[in-house]
Protein backbone atom coordinates (compact mmCIF):
# COMPACT_ATOMS: atom_id res chain seq x y z
CA UNK A 1 0.00 0.00 0.00
CA UNK A 2 1.23 3.53 -0.68
CA UNK A 3 2.51 5.70 2.15
CA UNK A 4 -0.11 8.06 3.45
CA UNK A 5 1.61 11.09 4.82
CA UNK A 6 -0.61 14.11 4.70
CA UNK A 7 -2.81 14.90 7.65
CA UNK A 8 -6.22 16.07 6.41
CA UNK A 9 -8.17 19.08 7.78
CA UNK A 10 -11.45 17.27 7.21
CA UNK A 11 -12.51 13.64 7.07
CA UNK A 12 -15.76 12.46 5.57
CA UNK A 13 -17.52 9.80 7.64
CA UNK A 14 -19.60 7.53 5.42
CA UNK A 15 -22.40 7.26 7.95
CA UNK A 16 -25.34 9.23 9.26
CA UNK A 17 -25.35 7.44 12.60
CA UNK A 18 -25.19 10.19 15.26
CA UNK A 19 -23.39 7.89 17.76
CA UNK A 20 -20.60 7.19 15.29
CA UNK A 21 -20.28 10.87 14.35
CA UNK A 22 -19.96 11.97 17.99
CA UNK A 23 -17.52 9.18 18.82
CA UNK A 24 -15.20 10.01 15.92
CA UNK A 25 -15.49 13.75 16.49
CA UNK A 26 -14.40 13.29 20.11
CA UNK A 27 -11.46 11.16 19.11
CA UNK A 28 -10.25 13.60 16.45
CA UNK A 29 -10.99 16.80 18.37
CA UNK A 30 -7.51 17.20 19.76
CA UNK A 31 -6.00 16.78 16.29
CA UNK A 32 -8.11 19.64 14.95
CA UNK A 33 -9.59 17.47 12.24
CA UNK A 34 -13.17 18.28 11.25
CA UNK A 35 -15.74 15.58 10.57
CA UNK A 36 -18.31 15.81 7.83
CA UNK A 37 -20.83 13.05 7.24
CA UNK A 38 -23.82 12.06 5.18
CA UNK A 39 -25.85 14.07 7.72
CA UNK A 40 -24.41 17.25 6.22
CA UNK A 41 -25.74 16.41 2.76
CA UNK A 42 -29.31 17.05 1.61
CA UNK A 43 -29.58 14.03 -0.61
CA UNK A 44 -27.24 11.41 0.81
CA UNK A 45 -28.05 8.12 -0.85
CA UNK A 46 -27.53 4.81 0.96
CA UNK A 47 -24.69 2.70 -0.38
CA UNK A 48 -25.93 -0.89 -0.47
CA UNK A 49 -23.95 -3.21 1.81
CA UNK A 50 -24.01 -6.17 -0.57
CA UNK A 51 -20.43 -7.41 -0.32
CA UNK A 52 -19.59 -10.88 1.04
CA UNK A 53 -17.51 -9.59 3.94
CA UNK A 54 -17.04 -6.65 6.29
CA UNK A 55 -13.93 -5.36 4.50
CA UNK A 56 -15.75 -5.38 1.16
CA UNK A 57 -18.64 -3.33 2.53
CA UNK A 58 -16.41 -0.86 4.37
CA UNK A 59 -14.25 -0.33 1.27
CA UNK A 60 -17.27 0.00 -0.99
CA UNK A 61 -18.73 2.78 1.19
CA UNK A 62 -15.43 4.63 1.70
CA UNK A 63 -14.58 4.51 -2.03
CA UNK A 64 -18.05 5.70 -2.98
CA UNK A 65 -17.90 8.74 -0.69
CA UNK A 66 -14.32 9.55 -1.58
CA UNK A 67 -15.28 9.62 -5.27
CA UNK A 68 -18.31 11.75 -4.48
CA UNK A 69 -16.77 14.31 -2.10
CA UNK A 70 -13.05 14.24 -2.85
CA UNK A 71 -12.48 14.21 0.92
CA UNK A 72 -10.52 11.50 2.73
CA UNK A 73 -13.35 9.11 3.56
CA UNK A 74 -13.82 6.66 6.40
CA UNK A 75 -16.40 3.88 6.56
CA UNK A 76 -16.96 1.00 8.94
CA UNK A 77 -18.80 -2.27 8.95
CA UNK A 78 -19.38 -4.45 12.00
CA UNK A 79 -20.46 -8.02 12.52
CA UNK A 80 -21.17 -10.27 15.47
CA UNK A 81 -19.43 -13.63 14.94
CA UNK A 82 -20.64 -16.56 17.03
CA UNK A 83 -18.35 -19.60 17.22
CA UNK A 84 -20.96 -22.41 17.23
CA UNK A 85 -22.83 -20.69 14.41
CA UNK A 86 -19.67 -20.76 12.26
CA UNK A 87 -19.28 -17.01 12.41
CA UNK A 88 -22.94 -16.08 11.84
CA UNK A 89 -24.61 -13.63 11.80
CA UNK A 90 -21.34 -11.92 10.72
CA UNK A 91 -21.74 -9.64 7.75
CA UNK A 92 -25.52 -10.19 7.96
CA UNK A 93 -25.82 -8.96 11.57
CA UNK A 94 -28.17 -6.08 10.72
CA UNK A 95 -30.61 -8.36 8.88
CA UNK A 96 -30.18 -11.66 10.70
CA UNK A 97 -33.92 -12.17 11.25
CA UNK A 98 -34.79 -10.78 7.79
CA UNK A 99 -35.06 -7.46 5.93
CA UNK A 100 -36.49 -4.47 7.85
CA UNK A 101 -36.36 -6.17 11.22
CA UNK A 102 -35.80 -4.59 14.63
CA UNK A 103 -32.80 -5.09 16.89
CA UNK A 104 -35.11 -7.08 19.18
CA UNK A 105 -36.03 -9.46 16.32
CA UNK A 106 -32.35 -10.17 15.67
CA UNK A 107 -31.60 -10.73 19.35
CA UNK A 108 -34.57 -13.07 19.67
CA UNK A 109 -33.42 -15.12 16.70
CA UNK A 110 -29.89 -15.33 18.10
CA UNK A 111 -31.11 -16.57 21.49
CA UNK A 112 -33.29 -19.12 19.73
CA UNK A 113 -30.38 -20.41 17.63
CA UNK A 114 -28.26 -20.78 20.76
CA UNK A 115 -30.90 -22.44 22.91
CA UNK A 116 -29.35 -25.30 24.88
CA UNK A 117 -25.83 -24.54 23.60
CA UNK A 118 -23.10 -24.35 26.22
CA UNK A 119 -20.40 -22.88 23.99
CA UNK A 120 -21.57 -19.29 23.67
CA UNK A 121 -18.30 -17.67 22.62
CA UNK A 122 -18.63 -14.76 20.23
CA UNK A 123 -16.83 -11.67 19.08
CA UNK A 124 -17.71 -8.35 17.58
CA UNK A 125 -15.47 -7.35 14.72
CA UNK A 126 -15.29 -3.92 13.09
CA UNK A 127 -13.46 -3.16 9.89
CA UNK A 128 -12.69 0.46 9.06
CA UNK A 129 -11.73 1.48 5.54
CA UNK A 130 -10.03 4.82 4.92
CA UNK A 131 -9.72 6.01 1.34
CA UNK A 132 -7.77 9.08 0.24
CA UNK A 133 -6.11 10.22 -2.98
CA UNK A 134 -2.98 8.51 -1.68
CA UNK A 135 -4.47 5.06 -1.26
CA UNK A 136 -6.56 2.78 0.93
CA UNK A 137 -6.06 1.58 4.49
CA UNK A 138 -7.87 -1.02 6.57
CA UNK A 139 -8.08 -1.09 10.40
CA UNK A 140 -9.68 -3.86 12.44
CA UNK A 141 -10.96 -4.00 16.01
CA UNK A 142 -12.18 -7.06 17.88
CA UNK A 143 -14.00 -7.52 21.19
CA UNK A 144 -14.32 -11.08 22.52
CA UNK A 145 -17.10 -12.21 24.80
CA UNK A 146 -20.08 -14.53 25.18
CA UNK A 147 -23.75 -14.45 24.31
CA UNK A 148 -25.80 -14.50 27.51
CA UNK A 149 -28.94 -16.60 27.88
CA UNK A 150 -31.06 -13.60 28.80
CA UNK A 151 -31.46 -9.99 27.76
CA UNK A 152 -29.94 -7.56 30.26
CA UNK A 153 -29.46 -3.77 30.25
CA UNK A 154 -31.08 -0.83 28.51
CA UNK A 155 -28.17 1.09 27.02
CA UNK A 156 -26.53 0.77 23.63
CA UNK A 157 -28.13 -0.84 20.60
CA UNK A 158 -28.19 -3.98 18.47
CA UNK A 159 -26.96 -7.09 20.24
CA UNK A 160 -25.67 -5.15 23.28
CA UNK A 161 -28.22 -6.65 25.76
CA UNK A 162 -26.95 -10.21 25.09
CA UNK A 163 -23.21 -9.61 24.63
CA UNK A 164 -21.00 -9.84 27.70
CA UNK A 165 -17.40 -8.85 26.97
CA UNK A 166 -14.64 -11.02 28.47
CA UNK A 167 -13.54 -9.80 31.89
CA UNK A 168 -16.92 -8.21 32.67
CA UNK A 169 -19.98 -9.41 34.55
CA UNK A 170 -22.22 -6.91 32.71
CA UNK A 171 -23.53 -6.92 29.15
CA UNK A 172 -22.60 -4.07 26.79
CA UNK A 173 -26.11 -2.71 27.41
CA UNK A 174 -25.31 -2.33 31.13
CA UNK A 175 -22.04 -0.43 30.59
CA UNK A 176 -21.78 3.34 30.15
CA UNK A 177 -21.10 4.56 26.61
CA UNK A 178 -17.59 5.64 27.67
CA UNK A 179 -16.76 2.22 29.13
CA UNK A 180 -18.13 0.41 26.10
CA UNK A 181 -16.24 2.65 23.64
CA UNK A 182 -13.02 2.03 25.53
CA UNK A 183 -13.14 -1.75 25.00
CA UNK A 184 -15.44 -2.19 22.03
CA UNK A 185 -14.59 -3.50 18.56
CA UNK A 186 -15.40 -0.11 17.00
CA UNK A 187 -13.52 1.80 19.70
CA UNK A 188 -10.45 -0.38 19.14
CA UNK A 189 -10.55 -0.04 15.36
CA UNK A 190 -10.97 3.72 15.65
CA UNK A 191 -8.12 3.92 18.15
CA UNK A 192 -5.82 2.19 15.63
CA UNK A 193 -6.92 4.65 12.96
CA UNK A 194 -6.37 7.67 15.22
CA UNK A 195 -2.94 6.37 16.29
CA UNK A 196 -1.97 6.09 12.65
CA UNK A 197 -3.08 9.66 11.98
CA UNK A 198 -1.21 10.91 15.03
CA UNK A 199 1.92 8.92 14.46
CA UNK A 200 2.36 9.26 10.75
CA UNK A 201 0.42 12.38 9.92
CA UNK A 202 -1.74 10.19 7.71
P1 LIG B 1 -22.95 -1.52 11.39
O1 LIG B 1 -21.99 -2.06 10.40
O2 LIG B 1 -22.30 -0.62 12.40
O3 LIG B 1 -24.16 -0.91 10.76
O4 LIG B 1 -23.46 -2.76 12.23
C1 LIG B 1 -24.20 -3.83 11.66
C2 LIG B 1 -25.09 -4.47 12.71
O5 LIG B 1 -24.24 -5.08 13.72
C3 LIG B 1 -25.98 -3.50 13.47
O6 LIG B 1 -27.22 -3.38 12.84
C4 LIG B 1 -26.12 -4.15 14.83
O7 LIG B 1 -27.13 -5.14 14.79
C5 LIG B 1 -24.79 -4.86 15.01
N1 LIG B 1 -23.85 -4.04 15.78
C6 LIG B 1 -22.85 -3.26 15.30
N2 LIG B 1 -22.16 -2.68 16.29
C7 LIG B 1 -22.76 -3.09 17.43
C8 LIG B 1 -22.49 -2.82 18.81
O8 LIG B 1 -21.59 -2.07 19.19
N3 LIG B 1 -23.30 -3.44 19.69
C9 LIG B 1 -24.31 -4.27 19.32
N4 LIG B 1 -24.60 -4.54 18.06
C10 LIG B 1 -23.82 -3.95 17.12
Amino acid sequence: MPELNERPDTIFLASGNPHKIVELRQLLESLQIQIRSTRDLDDAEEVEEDQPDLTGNALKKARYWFDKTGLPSLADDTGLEVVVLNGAPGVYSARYAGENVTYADNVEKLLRELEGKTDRKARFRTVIAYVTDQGEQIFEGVCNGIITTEIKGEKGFGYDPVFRPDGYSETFAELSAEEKNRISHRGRALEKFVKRIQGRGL
Side-chain angles (χ1 to χ4, degrees):
M1 285 216 185
E3 288 292 303
L4 304 177
N5 46 28
E6 251 177 55
R7 180 182 296 183
D9 302 325
T10 306
I11 288 175
F12 190 85
L13 176 64
S15 168
N17 180 326
H19 297 289
K20 292 184 184 175
I21 298 167
V22 170
E23 198 178 335
L24 189 62
R25 201 162 264 154
Q26 282 168 350
L27 280 166
L28 295 181
E29 217 164 46
S30 60
L31 299 174
Q32 280 155 351
I33 297 171
Q34 306 289 316
I35 302 296
R36 294 192 59 213
S37 75
T38 55
R39 286 222 139 196
D40 300 317
L41 307 175
D42 291 334
D43 57 346
E45 55 268 49
E46 280 268 318
V47 180
E48 203 186 342
E49 299 189 2
D50 56 2
Q51 300 301 298
D53 55 35
L54 299 175
T55 305
N57 280 336
L59 266 175
K60 181 179 177 186
K61 290 187 283 182
R63 283 174 183 158
Y64 178 89
W65 286 108
F66 172 66
D67 286 346
K68 197 99 177 164
T69 65
L71 292 169
S73 296
L74 185 148
D76 71 337
D77 199 22
T78 295
L80 174 66
E81 300 171 338
V82 180
V83 172
V84 292
L85 301 179
N86 299 316
V91 73
Y92 304 109
S93 293
R95 50 202 148 108
Y96 189 39
E99 297 294 333
N100 305 316
V101 294
T102 63
Y103 290 139
D105 294 333
N106 287 332
V107 165
E108 207 175 289
K109 171 160 181 184
L110 181 64
L111 290 181
R112 226 180 313 121
E113 295 287 333
L114 290 180
E115 231 165 58
K117 301 262 196 296
T118 47
D119 179 0
R120 304 182 72 93
K121 285 193 287 298
R123 66 176 189 175
F124 272 115
R125 193 161 66 88
T126 293
V127 174
I128 286 179
Y130 183 60
V131 176
T132 76
D133 57 7
Q134 296 174 71
E136 301 179 337
Q137 297 270 303
I138 297 291
F139 303 87
E140 192 180 279
V142 166
C143 182
N144 291 306
I146 59 132
I147 304 300
T148 55
T149 51
E150 277 166 25
I151 289 167
K152 243 178 150 194
E154 317 256 282
K155 302 188 188 90
F157 69 100
Y159 298 92
D160 281 350
V162 291
F163 183 82
R164 196 170 73 207
D166 286 350
Y168 285 75
S169 52
E170 300 97 341
T171 66
F172 263 168
E174 294 176 289
L175 298 179
S176 68
E178 292 73 30
E179 186 65 5
K180 181 188 161 188
N181 290 342
R182 212 174 53 73
I183 60 163
S184 81
H185 40 294
R186 194 167 25 260
R188 285 179 173 149
L190 277 173
E191 197 180 295
K192 284 186 190 168
F193 168 71
V194 171
K195 277 209 174 116
R196 251 333 249 288
I197 286 200
Q198 280 172 327
R200 318 220 27 198
L202 198 125

